Structure formats: structure tokens, C-alpha cells
Amino acid sequence: MIEIQELTFKYTDSKHNSLEKVSLEIQKGDFVGIIGESGAGKTTLCNCLNGLIPHHFTGDFYGNVKIEGQDTFDIKPDKLALKVGSVFQDIESQIVSYFVEDEILFGLENFGVPKDEIEKRITDALEALEIADLRHREISTLSGGQKQKVVFASILALQPDYLILDEPTGELDPASSLQIFQLLKKLNEEKEITVIIAEQKIMLLCEFVKKLIVLEKGTVVHYGEIRSTLTHQKEMEEAGINCPRVLTLTGKMMEEGLTPKGMKKEERICLNTKEAAEFVKHCMKRNGGAK
């Protein structure tokens, strides 16, 4: 479990706090999304969870972050990396090798993974990302999206208990972005890896995560189960967040009286187009046809 208590952080060269009294718990096995407009504190929160703050990024740090009872202040990032794997926004900053195979091998060797396990871990990680054909390629010849997948594979090979991802689909096309989320769902459900992901593609995010953290100017304004959190659409829009179109559609239908009387807000929360289509059909049927 991850416990965050009264977390406040301000970078050394900043005049304002990037995070302000953040307190929340993330249970083992959760799949949590983080949303907020640019500058809301998404990356800062991710860096507090993986230990880069306070060990690499300096500033004023108050409160605490505990990973399974251990305070990140007391654990060096290299030790924490065995338990908490991270994929950053700046992919180039995570690449240390010349060839794809060596990039995945680097972490395995540095963390002392037994030699008889290494080959399988490399193969499994490449196949999971469907980039086995890139194994012997020079990284400099890859596209931005391919590099992103290589970095993801290198983290996956370490078999962490927690995955912290900061906009991991930024360089990917829609098909590859969907593939990443499907893989994360599989890891979460089958291997019980706790996934925490900051993402701008809110429609995709909402379809897969179990819980949602909504940040506004460094403060958590909402945190909870995905459908419950999405009922706060108006507040989210005021915080500069573009809500999924299916949510806007069902919200407008309620405002126009096109939904059955007495319907609760939670009942009109749709997480994808399939659910939205079923919702519209249901409302039309209950209303005796379209108005």
C-alpha cells in the first residue's frame, strides 16, 4: 500500500507549492489514474511516489510518502526502483544504451538478476510490447513511439510491484496507446501490479482505471472510484479538465430531461462509447422513443 500524508512540496527555484497538503492511500492492486491541467502537479506527484523527490529534485518537502510502510526519505531511489518501476514523460532521459537488447539488459544486470532468468525476462518484456523484432536495432534509429515501448519493456523486465507512469502514451498513436493500456490492465489483473498513471488522454484513461485522482493547482480536489469521481463533471471542467465526450453527452441528456425521472448521477456515468450507446437506447426506451 502507498500512504501519502499531508504532502506539500515546493521546488527550490519556485515561488509556489507544486503540491499542497496531499493525503490519500493507494491500495495494493489498484489501477489509479491522475488527471489535471498542465501545471496541476501530476508529474510532481509521480516523482514523489518513485522517490525522485526528495532524492534528486530538491526543494521544501513536508509530510511523508510511505511505500508498504517504508518512508521514501529513508530509501534510496535505486533500491526503491526494484519495487517501484517508473516510465517518465521524457523518454530520452531514461535511455542509457546503444542497442535495444542492451537497454533492457542494463537494469537486469545492475540489479543482480540471476543469469539464468535474464533471457526469459528480456524475451517476455519484448513480446509483451510486441517489439521483439526491434531486439537488435540501434535505439537511435527508432521512432519516438518505439523508444517509449523499449523503455517500458526495460522497466517491465524488472518485475516491479508498482508501476508509476507519467503520460506513457505521449508519443504513441491511438492503436499503440490502446495496446499499452490493455497491457497495463493485464498486468494489474493477472500479476496484481499496482498501476498509477498520469495521462492526458482522459477518454482512454477512464475506460481502464479503477480509481481517479483529480488535481487542481497541486491540491487533490477529488479521489475515489472512477464512476463516483466522474459525477463531479462541473468541478472538473472548472479545474481545466476536458471531460470525456460520452460524459458530456449523458450530462446534457439529464439537463434536457431526456433521462428517466429519479435517475441518479452515478447511473448516467459511461466510460466508453459502447456504454454510452446502451445508455441512450435505455433512455429512449424508457421515454417511449426519441423526443
Side-chain angles (χ1 to χ4, degrees):
M1 181 174 73
I2 297 177
E3 300 171 89
I4 305 174
Q5 297 179 336
E6 293 291 308
L7 174 61
T8 296
F9 183 75
K10 180 171 74 70
Y11 291 98
T12 299
D13 57 352
S14 177
K15 294 181 180 180
H16 306 286
N17 292 337
S18 294
L19 294 176
E20 185 74 45
K21 295 184 178 181
V22 173
S23 293
L24 53 87
E25 292 183 355
I26 297 174
Q27 301 296 324
K28 193 76 179 292
D30 268 347
F31 193 156
V32 180
I34 306 173
I35 62 174
E37 65 177 344
S38 179
K42 301 186 297 297
T43 296
T44 302
L45 181 57
C46 287
N47 286 338
C48 286
L49 296 176
N50 60 30
L52 289 182
I53 295 175
H55 295 288
H56 284 303
F57 298 107
T58 60
D60 298 329
F61 187 108
Y62 303 96
N64 59 64
V65 178
K66 293 182 179 180
I67 310 291
E68 295 184 359
Q70 288 187 292
D71 197 311
T72 55
F73 247 97
D74 302 325
I75 315 173
K76 292 184 178 180
D78 59 335
K79 299 296 182 184
L80 191 59
L82 281 172
K83 185 172 288 292
V84 182
S86 299
V87 178
F88 308 133
Q89 225 173 334
D90 183 5
I91 292 299
E92 296 290 346
S93 69
Q94 279 191 269
I95 296 174
V96 297
S97 302
Y98 194 71
F99 292 98
V100 170
E101 182 180 54
D102 292 340
E103 182 66 27
I104 302 173
L105 183 63
F106 179 82
L108 297 173
E109 289 185 333
N110 273 274
F111 286 112
V113 174
K115 288 185 178 180
D116 59 352
E117 292 183 24
I118 287 180
E119 175 58 31
K120 186 176 188 313
R121 289 206 191 190
I122 292 176
T123 301
D124 287 350
L126 289 170
E127 289 180 351
L129 273 299
E130 297 184 2
I131 54 171
D133 58 317
L134 302 181
R135 180 165 183 161
H136 303 292
R137 286 272 300 273
E138 295 179 15
I139 293 179
S140 61
T141 67
L142 304 181
S143 67
Q146 288 173 325
K147 289 178 181 178
Q148 206 152 15
K149 289 184 178 182
V150 170
V151 168
F152 197 175
S154 69
I155 298 301
L156 204 57
L158 294 173
Q159 300 179 352
D161 294 323
Y162 298 86
L163 272 174
I164 313 294
L165 307 104
D166 187 7
E167 298 190 27
T169 67
E171 296 288 336
L172 303 180
D173 58 32
S176 294
S177 296
L178 179 60
Q179 178 195 354
I180 292 295
F181 271 89
Q182 290 171 335
L183 173 61
L184 290 173
K185 181 180 181 180
K186 184 177 181 179
L187 293 171
N188 176 253
E189 294 179 348
E190 296 182 7
K191 297 186 179 297
E192 297 184 347
I193 293 176
T194 304
V195 179
I196 302 159
I197 176 170
E199 182 59 77
Q200 294 284 3
K201 298 174 183 176
I202 297 177
M203 182 72 181
L204 189 59
L205 186 73
C206 291
E207 187 171 351
F208 285 89
V209 301
K210 299 173 183 175
K211 294 181 180 179
L212 199 61
I213 298 171
V214 183
L215 288 174
E216 181 181 11
K217 296 179 180 178
T219 301
V220 175
V221 291
H222 293 293
Y223 173 50
E225 297 294 331
I226 181 66
R227 292 183 194 274
S228 175
T229 303
L230 289 177
T231 61
H232 301 281
Q233 181 181 351
K234 185 176 180 180
E235 295 97 316
M236 290 168 63
E237 291 174 346
E238 289 174 351
I241 299 168
N242 292 319
C243 292
R245 291 182 180 179
V246 291
L247 196 62
T248 303
L249 169 65
T250 56
K252 289 288 186 183
M253 288 180 66
M254 286 196 77
E255 290 177 6
E256 296 295 327
L258 298 177
T259 57
K261 292 182 179 180
M263 176 175 278
K264 298 178 181 178
K265 284 186 176 181
E266 292 85 350
E267 295 176 317
R268 60 91 179 169
I269 298 300
C270 300
L271 303 181
N272 51 55
T273 53
K274 182 179 180 180
E275 288 187 5
E278 290 299 321
F279 176 85
V280 172
K281 288 179 182 178
H282 172 71
C283 290
M284 290 178 66
K285 184 177 180 181
R286 290 287 297 271
N287 286 314
K291 290 187 178 182

